[in-house]
Amino acid sequence: GAGVSQSPSNKVTEKGKDVELRCDPISGHTALYWYRQSLGQGLEFLIYFQGNSAPDKSGLPSDRFSAERTGGSVSTLTIQRTQQEDSAVYLCASSVQFGEETQYFGPGTRLLVL
Amino acid sequence: QQQVKQSPQSLIVQKGGISIINCAYENTAFDYFPWYQQFPGKGPALLIAIRPDVSEKKEGRFTISFNKSAKQFSLHIMDSQPGDSATYFCAALTGGSYIPTFGRGTSLIVHP
C-alpha cells in the first residue's frame, strides 16, 4: 500500500471487553512499531517487531496487552479486559528495517473505553 | 522519568511570524534528533532531523538549532503559515536503541 494503514479508525468499547487493533505496514517494511498517545502526552513506545519477532516487550503497560505479527506483515495489538485508562490513540509505524531512523506512522486507532 | 522535555505546550503565532519550540534532553548517548509534525486525525510525520555533529540544519522554512553542550535543540519555523498549525514533537534516539524518546508535543496555532 501507499502508507501504513490501521483499523478500525475509531473504537468505542465497554470496560472489561477485549479489543483488537490492526496495523498494515508499508509493503516491504520489516520493522513495525506500536505506540500509545494519550491526551497531552507524547508518544509512549509499546513494542516493536523485526519480522515476526518481538525482542522487547517491556514497553507493554500490563499483561492485558499483547501483540503479534504474522507473515512479516500485518500486526494485531490486543487489549484484554479494557480499562478506562486504556483510552488513547494507538499508533503503528513501520520502517524498512529495524535500525532505520525514519519511521512512517499510520493514522492511528482512537480507542475510547466507557 | 521524562528524558526529553519539550516547551511550550502550546504556541500561538501570527502569520508571517517565527515559531520556536524547544527541547532539552538528559541522555548524552542520544545521537539523532528528529522533529515530527502531526495534523489532527493523522499520524506523526518526520519533518526534519539533525545529528550532534552539526549545530544547525535548515530545510525550507524549518530550521533545527542544536546545542550539544547545553543538551538542547530547537525547531524554528520562519514565516509561519496557517497550514503549519499542527502538533510538533521532538524526539531523540540512540544508535543502539532506534526507539525514539518523544517530547510531550507542542500545539502550534498560526493565525491568519
Side-chain angles (χ1 to χ4, degrees):
Chain A
V4 178
S5 60
Q6 293 185 245
S7 61
S9 54
N10 294 280
K11 177 70 176 180
V12 180
T13 191
E14 294 179 347
K15 177 181 174 181
K17 295 288 181 71
D18 297 351
V19 296
E20 284 190 354
L21 312 179
R22 176 187 168 107
C23 172
D24 276 283
I26 293 173
S27 178
H29 281 196
T30 62
L32 185 148
Y33 312 79
W34 283 99
Y35 295 88
R36 179 168 70 176
Q37 184 175 24
S38 302
L39 189 64
Q41 302 295 314
L43 280 72
E44 175 189 7
F45 168 73
L46 299 179
I47 191 170
Y48 82 89
F49 289 89
Q50 178 58 32
N52 292 332
S53 174
D56 182 4
K57 301 180 180 180
S58 62
L60 296 175
S62 75
D63 57 8
R64 297 185 294 105
F65 287 71
S66 63
E68 65 176 12
R69 188 180 186 194
T70 56
S73 181
V74 172
S75 176
T76 302
L77 178 68
T78 301
I79 309 173
Q80 295 179 310
R81 305 180 302 280
T82 52
Q83 303 295 312
Q84 290 182 332
E85 60 263 29
D86 299 335
S87 297
V89 176
Y90 289 83
L91 291 162
C92 174
S94 70
S95 62
V96 174
Q97 61 184 6
F98 187 70
E100 285 288 328
E101 291 149 338
T102 301
Q103 297 181 14
Y104 299 87
F105 283 83
T109 293
R110 284 148 193 81
L111 174 65
L112 177 61
V113 182
L114 301 177
Chain B
Q1 181 183 5
Q2 186 184 357
Q3 294 192 53
V4 178
K5 295 182 179 180
Q6 183 171 348
S7 63
Q9 186 174 355
S10 61
L11 181 62
I12 299 175
V13 175
Q14 291 296 122
K15 178 182 176 181
I18 302 173
S19 303
I20 302 175
I21 304 171
N22 301 298
C23 284
Y25 63 96
E26 300 166 5
N27 187 350
T28 55
F30 287 142
D31 59 6
Y32 184 70
F33 302 88
W35 284 89
Y36 284 83
Q37 179 187 56
Q38 184 178 28
F39 293 106
K42 304 292 185 182
L46 180 65
L47 182 64
I48 187 173
I50 196 169
R51 296 188 186 280
D53 54 345
V54 296
S55 60
E56 185 175 283
K57 182 173 182 180
K58 183 176 182 180
E59 291 185 0
R61 295 184 295 108
F62 300 90
T63 299
I64 299 178
S65 297
F66 185 81
N67 185 330
K68 188 174 181 178
S69 61
K71 293 187 287 185
Q72 295 176 348
F73 58 109
S74 60
L75 176 69
H76 296 235
I77 306 175
M78 312 299 289
D79 186 26
S80 299
Q81 299 297 311
D84 297 332
S85 298
T87 299
Y88 292 81
F89 293 95
C90 63
L93 297 83
T94 64
S97 171
Y98 301 110
I99 303 297
T101 298
F102 287 89
R104 291 190 174 180
T106 296
S107 175
L108 171 66
I109 296 174
V110 181
H111 283 311

